[in-house]
Amino acid sequence: IPNTEKTNSDFIALSTIINEGDNVAFVYNHGTKGHNCTVSVLCYMESYLLHFVRSLSKLIREEQVVFGQISDEEWEIIRPSKQERKTKFLKMIKTAITSKDECNKCSQWKVQSAETWGYIYRTDFIPDSNDLLERRKYTMLDIGYWSPQDGFMLSDALFPHSQYGFRGVQLIFYSYHNPPWQFVSYNESGAPVISSGVVYDILTELSRKLNFTYTMVISQPAEINGSLIEGNTSSVYDLKTISSDIPQDIFSTLVNNKILLAAIGATVNEKQKKFVSFTDPISIQTYSFIISRPRELSRVLLFLSPFGPDTWLCLATAVALMGPILCVINKLSPYYEVHNKPTNIGLGKVNNCFWYIYGALLQQGGLYLPYADSGRIIIGTWWLVVLVIVTTYCGNLVAFLTFPKIDIPVNRVMQLLRNERGMTWSIRRGTFLEEILMDSTEPKYVQLYKGSQIITELGDDLVERIEAGTHVHIDWRNNLRYLMKRQYLRTDRCDFALSTDEFLDEQIALVMPKDSPYLELVNEEIKRMHQFGFIQRWVAQYLPAKDKCSGTGRVMDVQNHTVNSSDMAGSYWILLLGFVSGLFVFVCEFAFSRYRQYRASKVATVAYSN
């Protein structure tokens, strides 16, 4: 600032250009303009020569004192070198002339910096009697001065905030219980405090990097079943909390610009951006839905699984047609007529041809073989077909025995909307998902909202319906993981699975006052934490611990299977069916035989009577 002097240098007290968050330094002339401000170079030369002589004399006297107390040999050992003597000599001259400019009293420029960061938020300030209408926005710090003789003499950084951040000021933050972002528990004195959480870890890193301390005010106590959490545990997760719902008292302090930021993980909301500012996302939560874990399908008909219905139908048709074809070829072949062989025995009968074809399909031999080459070609071709069919069947059967067949799950939103199984679904009231679905014009989301049940909490009745496979619940994927963990701890079973479909990304961020000057600063630190992997590690730290259900989080997971008796139940049923069929045919044959005997005896009786 030019054209200033000591008499009117109080302009800073009346300045209105200094605002919260600024980095401002002032350099102005603090000297007094007298009648004679002529600066003579000769004056500086005389001053320098005078201090040169005095410093040299002082240096010689100090060395003479030491030299007079020791011998010549010892002096040769400890005497200073030329470089050491020159450095000490210049230091003595500089010390003598610093702050003692006698040649120019009209040009001494003072350097002051404004300490502005956090002044309207800090809790450790001392109220000023002249500051009754509003809190003080800054304090001027004497950084140093500049003079023609000494140059810049600074005792602190020219811009202290750029180097030291908030310079250790104490701030106040508001928070509330909202796992996994903020965990609230009792401390030793019985007061609720933020004990852990992703936001807590981020705030700790911010306070270290930006150099501030803070006091936390809990807006809402954390209640689970009517009591506060005793300490932090990742197994306890309150599914009633909603990140899109900022408590009114915290929102009011942000709108009134009373706190630097709210220590909460909140959903980025376009409507709330009119009143507050959101930082860059600290996490992105995706929505999925939880369903009953798909069960293994019945393995009674496992032996039919290698082939589809059309393949079995074609195979049955081939067996049914090959018998009559083989019989016709044998009867019409002139070979038997030439060689005078009967055609009404062996493969000349349709039933014998059928059983031969069926036995060949089961890789069993027959009692009869055709004599004619035409019949032998048909038999040989059938054996080649049987070889391919049996090999394919055996290979697929091994695969079906090893890997169990899982019921086709509902994995995607479109499968859920088709509702082929009559399933219902639910979403929580007041969530980001409900707001998006209400405002969406996409047909898929419109149908999803119209068919959904809006609930305030996930009760035990809905959990039972999910387990039964008649209901699904849509929520954050991490929330559903906690639900799976809670159900596992309760039942020691893996009853649930997550869908593979992830949709509607919800951004979670910190909340700051509107147009905060510190928004970019906080965003840079959040970006750095993302790049170093800090936030990802903190989020993973508060997820449920892995257990035996962790590998079944997705519905398509498959494990190797050991063949047991239930897998072979189908073959036992075939055996039983064959035995019953044989017994039934035996009874029919016996009844038919008795019937023929009865008819024969009746005919004989009538003939005798006649």
Side-chain angles (χ1 to χ4, degrees):
I1 301 177
N3 302 325
T4 58
E5 58 177 324
K6 188 174 183 180
T7 56
N8 60 356
S9 60
D10 59 345
F11 65 93
I12 297 179
L14 304 176
S15 176
T16 59
I17 65 173
I18 304 176
N19 296 311
E20 174 72 23
D22 288 343
N23 284 306
V24 183
F26 296 91
V27 181
Y28 59 93
N29 191 358
H30 192 62
T32 303
K33 293 184 178 180
H35 298 288
N36 184 15
C37 288
T38 303
V39 179
S40 174
V41 178
L42 182 61
C43 177
Y44 281 108
M45 295 178 62
E46 291 176 353
S47 177
Y48 288 158
L49 287 175
L50 176 61
H51 290 298
F52 177 86
V53 173
R54 289 178 178 176
S55 299
L56 180 60
S57 175
K58 182 178 179 180
L59 180 63
I60 293 175
R61 286 198 304 271
E62 290 178 356
E63 291 186 0
Q64 284 179 344
V65 172
V66 178
F67 180 76
Q69 297 177 356
I70 59 177
S71 62
D72 294 343
E73 292 78 5
E74 292 175 334
W75 172 253
E76 291 296 331
I77 296 174
I78 67 172
R79 66 182 298 175
S81 62
K82 292 182 179 181
Q83 182 64 34
E84 294 174 344
R85 184 174 293 171
K86 181 181 71 172
T87 301
K88 184 176 181 181
F89 184 38
L90 293 177
K91 184 177 180 181
M92 294 173 66
I93 296 175
K94 187 175 181 180
T95 303
I97 66 176
T98 300
S99 303
K100 297 176 182 179
D101 190 354
E102 301 293 338
C103 300
N104 187 356
K105 296 184 179 180
C106 299
S107 296
Q108 184 167 3
W109 293 70
K110 191 173 184 179
V111 182
Q112 286 187 314
S113 294
E115 187 180 46
T116 63
W117 284 21
Y119 254 74
I120 63 175
Y121 309 124
R122 61 193 299 178
T123 60
D124 56 348
F125 75 102
I126 301 176
D128 191 350
S129 59
N130 298 325
D131 188 21
L132 299 178
L133 297 180
E134 62 175 330
R135 300 176 64 173
R136 211 154 26 121
K137 295 183 178 180
Y138 62 88
T139 297
M140 298 307 300
L141 303 176
D142 291 332
I143 301 301
Y145 68 92
W146 178 92
S147 67
Q149 174 180 275
D150 300 335
F152 273 105
M153 301 296 294
L154 301 180
S155 59
D156 202 344
L158 183 61
F159 299 104
H161 295 304
S162 298
Q163 187 169 351
Y164 304 113
F166 283 86
R167 296 173 63 86
V169 300
Q170 185 175 7
L171 305 175
I172 185 171
F173 296 132
Y174 283 76
S175 187
Y176 70 103
H177 181 70
N178 185 18
W181 316 116
Q182 309 97 231
F183 285 92
V184 175
S185 62
Y186 277 126
N187 60 11
E188 296 179 355
S189 61
V193 295
I194 296 293
S195 57
S196 58
V198 178
V199 173
Y200 175 81
D201 295 331
I202 293 176
L203 198 60
T204 302
E205 180 67 13
L206 283 176
S207 66
R208 185 185 69 85
K209 292 293 292 185
L210 300 182
N211 191 17
F212 63 82
T213 59
Y214 61 89
T215 301
M216 191 68 69
V217 176
I218 306 302
S219 174
Q220 296 176 348
E223 295 187 1
I224 294 183
N225 297 328
S227 61
L228 286 170
I229 303 174
E230 297 295 340
N232 172 37
T233 170
S234 61
S235 63
V236 179
Y237 190 86
D238 190 1
L239 295 176
K240 301 178 183 179
T241 56
I242 301 176
S243 296
S244 59
D245 185 16
I246 302 177
Q248 185 59 39
D249 52 348
I250 298 181
F251 192 78
S252 299
T253 56
L254 289 168
V255 172
N256 297 327
N257 198 20
K258 293 183 179 180
I259 55 176
L260 175 66
L261 58 84
I264 61 176
T267 300
V268 178
N269 190 309
E270 294 297 329
K271 296 180 181 179
Q272 293 177 344
K273 282 186 177 181
K274 300 177 182 178
F275 309 100
V276 295
S277 296
F278 291 92
T279 65
D280 289 343
I282 61 175
S283 179
I284 296 179
Q285 298 294 317
T286 58
Y287 280 90
S288 297
F289 48 87
I290 190 170
I291 61 176
S292 175
R293 184 187 178 192
R295 271 77 173 180
E296 295 182 14
L297 296 178
S298 174
R299 302 171 69 84
V300 174
L301 301 179
L302 181 66
F303 63 94
L304 298 177
S305 299
F307 291 158
D310 54 343
T311 306
W312 285 116
L313 180 61
C314 292
L315 186 59
T317 304
V319 173
L321 293 179
M322 283 298 297
I325 290 175
L326 181 60
C327 181
V328 170
I329 293 297
N330 277 315
K331 282 183 174 294
L332 299 179
S333 176
Y335 178 89
Y336 296 94
E337 184 180 354
V338 172
H339 293 83
N340 195 22
K341 290 188 179 294
T343 58
N344 58 351
I345 62 173
L347 296 181
K349 294 184 178 181
V350 176
N351 59 338
N352 289 341
C353 291
F354 173 79
W355 288 113
Y356 183 87
I357 294 297
Y358 180 73
L361 182 64
L362 300 180
Q363 295 184 311
Q364 300 297 321
L367 297 178
Y368 310 101
L369 283 176
Y371 294 101
D373 291 339
S374 57
R376 292 182 177 182
I377 291 175
I378 293 176
I379 292 298
T381 305
W382 177 248
W383 272 104
L384 290 177
V385 173
V386 167
L387 179 64
V388 175
I389 292 175
V390 171
T391 304
T392 305
Y393 178 84
C394 292
N396 286 348
L397 184 60
V398 170
F400 278 94
L401 285 172
T402 305
F403 298 99
K405 190 174 182 180
I406 303 298
D407 186 17
I408 300 176
V410 178
N411 275 332
R412 302 190 176 276
V413 175
M414 294 307 299
Q415 290 178 300
L416 183 63
L417 295 179
R418 284 195 293 267
N419 206 9
E420 297 174 350
R421 305 186 181 185
M423 302 177 70
T424 58
W425 59 89
S426 60
I427 60 177
R428 287 195 295 160
R429 187 184 306 277
T431 57
F432 172 79
L433 176 62
E434 182 190 15
E435 182 178 347
I436 292 297
L437 294 182
M438 288 176 60
D439 300 336
S440 177
T441 58
E442 188 174 347
K444 176 176 68 174
Y445 293 143
V446 171
Q447 184 180 356
L448 184 65
Y449 179 72
K450 289 182 178 179
S452 62
Q453 299 178 11
I454 309 300
I455 62 175
T456 55
E457 61 180 87
L458 190 64
D460 293 337
D461 55 337
L462 289 180
V463 173
E464 293 176 358
R465 289 172 57 189
I466 295 174
E467 185 178 354
T470 60
H471 186 80
V472 300
H473 180 64
I474 306 174
D475 207 332
W476 283 358
R477 196 169 187 85
N478 286 341
N479 285 10
L480 300 180
R481 287 194 178 103
Y482 275 94
L483 179 60
M484 292 175 60
K485 181 70 173 181
R486 189 174 65 182
Q487 187 70 6
Y488 169 71
L489 294 177
R490 179 184 301 174
T491 63
D492 198 27
R493 298 192 311 268
C494 301
D495 297 325
F496 296 148
L498 299 180
S499 66
T500 56
D501 196 8
E502 300 182 29
F503 59 99
L504 287 183
D505 296 341
E506 180 175 348
Q507 296 181 350
I508 305 299
L510 304 180
V511 192
M512 302 183 69
K514 182 68 175 177
D515 300 326
S516 173
Y518 307 107
L519 181 61
E520 292 299 326
L521 182 67
V522 174
N523 284 341
E524 286 296 326
E525 293 300 325
I526 291 177
K527 180 181 178 181
R528 182 186 61 85
M529 295 181 205
H530 277 299
Q531 291 174 341
F532 291 164
F534 291 164
I535 296 181
Q536 289 81 352
R537 180 172 61 87
W538 293 332
V539 172
Q541 179 181 349
Y542 296 104
L543 291 178
K546 289 187 177 182
D547 49 41
K548 69 177 184 180
C549 297
S550 301
T552 61
R554 291 185 178 270
V555 294
M556 297 305 294
D557 290 342
V558 176
Q559 297 178 352
N560 288 345
H561 176 74
T562 302
V563 179
N564 50 39
S565 59
S566 62
D567 301 329
M568 307 304 297
S571 59
Y572 301 148
W573 282 106
I574 289 293
L575 178 61
L576 179 61
L577 180 62
F579 178 79
V580 172
S581 300
L583 182 61
F584 176 76
V585 173
F586 171 76
V587 171
C588 291
E589 292 174 346
F590 184 79
F592 183 72
S593 175
R594 294 300 299 267
Y595 176 73
R596 291 186 63 182
Q597 292 178 6
Y598 170 75
R599 288 292 302 273
S601 62
K602 186 175 181 180
V603 171
T605 302
V606 172
Y608 178 78
S609 300
N610 292 336

